[in-house]
Amino acid sequence: MRVRVGVPLSLFPLKNARTTFFPLTLIFAVSPWAKACFDREHQKLRVAGTSSKPCILLEDLTAPFSLPCIVDLKMGTRSHPDDVSVAKAERARLKYSHSTSSSHGVRICGLQRFDPVDGKYHYVDKYRGRDLKQDQLSEELHRFVDLEDASRALAVLDLWLDKLQRMEAVLRDKYAGYRFFSSSVLLLYEGAADEPVRADARLIDFAHTRVEPDAEDPDSSLLFGFHNLVELLSTVRERVTHGLHPPRAPSPAATSAAAAS
């Protein structure tokens, strides 16, 4: 039986569960965002005067990992469909035009990385991600996968690159007419050095996806982001191959929190 950070089974009973979950207090110690989300949803239920409501059950992509390292990358050069209000479209346009979404079709929306040296998680929030310049985006991605064991970092990068290139091909060949507004790529890897190398890449967040029935082309905005993300990670891979390390983070923009012992 494996032990993972997650929601107690008493809240979500599972049949044939093979996983034991830590209590919520330990989840919140590892991820401050988990507590913020939980508190917000719990308050909504209290205001509504109920203790439960129908929910969509989402897969926990971090479940296979002991110390999950994750980066959420907003993809594409445009986040809004045509049917949003003028004010919302303008806010989204300004956000994208002054960030790497405009130059690369990729923007860091959140990142957590476990550092085995100090035994802590380090975080980059969406505001830091929004402020990154073109050259800083590559450096931040390099920091995210800057491991003591270079062979392990290369294995992680190879797994990501293989999956991203396959996803890019499927999106180009099979999804004509689809427009993936505000979707993200989630990159994950195992931060525990004593665990086997494990990594994953997923395309997520389809709430604003639209289908244009008459369109015969794929989503060029999303594919632009995929192409540049592959280029960025390939550059990181080349640096790792040559034994190079990224510059240190310039400021406390990435905050730290103690990891579960």
Side-chain angles (χ1 to χ4, degrees), residues 5-133:
V5 174
V7 180
L9 293 178
S10 58
L11 293 184
F12 294 94
L14 302 176
K15 294 181 179 179
N16 302 321
R18 297 181 179 178
T19 303
T20 298
F21 288 82
F22 285 123
L24 284 171
T25 50
L26 290 185
I27 305 171
F28 298 158
V30 173
S31 176
W33 290 277
K35 185 178 188 308
C37 291
F38 181 89
D39 289 345
R40 184 168 59 246
E41 293 305 313
H42 188 242
Q43 179 62 24
K44 289 179 183 178
L45 292 176
R46 293 184 62 184
V47 171
T50 180
S51 60
S52 64
K53 67 176 181 178
C55 296
I56 298 174
L57 182 62
L58 301 178
E59 179 185 2
D60 181 5
L61 297 178
T62 67
F65 302 88
S66 294
L67 294 172
C69 299
I70 316 163
V71 61
D72 182 332
L73 300 166
K74 190 66 68 179
M75 302 298 290
T77 57
R78 179 180 173 184
S79 66
H80 61 282
D82 293 332
D83 56 4
V84 302
S85 68
V86 174
K88 187 171 183 178
E90 181 62 17
R91 288 196 302 270
R93 188 192 67 79
L94 289 173
K95 185 188 302 181
Y96 269 57
S97 64
H98 292 90
S99 71
T100 55
S101 290
S102 176
S103 60
H104 287 73
V106 179
R107 185 176 85 251
I108 293 177
C109 281
L111 178 157
Q112 72 171 35
R113 171 184 175 270
F114 180 75
D115 187 344
V117 176
D118 61 14
K120 296 179 180 179
Y121 268 107
H122 294 260
Y123 302 97
V124 174
D125 63 24
K126 64 181 180 181
Y127 303 106
R128 165 66 178 163
R130 196 180 298 170
D131 289 340
L132 291 175
K133 307 304 180 187

Side-chain angles (χ1 to χ4, degrees), residues 38-243:
F38 181 89
D39 289 345
R40 184 168 59 246
E41 293 305 313
H42 188 242
Q43 179 62 24
K44 289 179 183 178
L45 292 176
R46 293 184 62 184
V47 171
T50 180
S51 60
S52 64
K53 67 176 181 178
C55 296
I56 298 174
L57 182 62
L58 301 178
E59 179 185 2
D60 181 5
L61 297 178
T62 67
F65 302 88
S66 294
L67 294 172
C69 299
I70 316 163
V71 61
D72 182 332
L73 300 166
K74 190 66 68 179
M75 302 298 290
T77 57
R78 179 180 173 184
S79 66
H80 61 282
D82 293 332
D83 56 4
V84 302
S85 68
V86 174
K88 187 171 183 178
E90 181 62 17
R91 288 196 302 270
R93 188 192 67 79
L94 289 173
K95 185 188 302 181
Y96 269 57
S97 64
H98 292 90
S99 71
T100 55
S101 290
S102 176
S103 60
H104 287 73
V106 179
R107 185 176 85 251
I108 293 177
C109 281
L111 178 157
Q112 72 171 35
R113 171 184 175 270
F114 180 75
D115 187 344
V117 176
D118 61 14
K120 296 179 180 179
Y121 268 107
H122 294 260
Y123 302 97
V124 174
D125 63 24
K126 64 181 180 181
Y127 303 106
R128 165 66 178 163
R130 196 180 298 170
D131 289 340
L132 291 175
K133 307 304 180 187
Q134 296 183 30
D135 57 333
Q136 295 173 321
L137 176 60
S138 179
E139 292 176 357
E140 202 67 69
L141 290 173
H142 192 174
R143 272 192 289 272
F144 176 57
V145 72
D146 185 34
L147 308 178
E148 290 184 327
D149 184 349
S151 64
R152 190 177 179 91
L154 290 172
V156 168
L157 287 161
D158 286 342
L159 287 167
W160 287 342
L161 287 167
D162 174 68
K163 193 161 187 179
L164 289 170
Q165 288 167 333
R166 287 188 285 121
M167 282 195 288
E168 183 181 4
V170 169
L171 290 165
R172 184 190 308 110
D173 299 336
K174 304 292 185 181
Y175 284 86
Y178 282 78
R179 301 294 180 258
F180 296 87
F181 296 114
S182 202
S183 291
S184 293
V185 162
L186 203 66
L187 299 179
L188 310 94
Y189 72 89
E190 177 59 70
D194 58 346
E195 291 274 349
V197 174
R198 189 180 292 111
D200 199 0
R202 301 288 188 100
L203 182 64
I204 63 170
D205 295 344
F206 306 110
H208 302 288
T209 298
R210 300 288 192 274
V211 180
E212 298 178 357
D214 299 328
E216 298 181 355
D217 59 323
D219 189 335
S220 58
S221 171
L222 180 67
L223 290 175
F224 175 71
F226 262 86
H227 172 77
N228 285 318
L229 179 56
V230 168
E231 290 292 314
L232 286 163
L233 293 177
S234 297
T235 299
V236 171
R237 191 190 188 286
E238 184 176 353
R239 292 173 181 168
V240 174
T241 301
H242 289 86

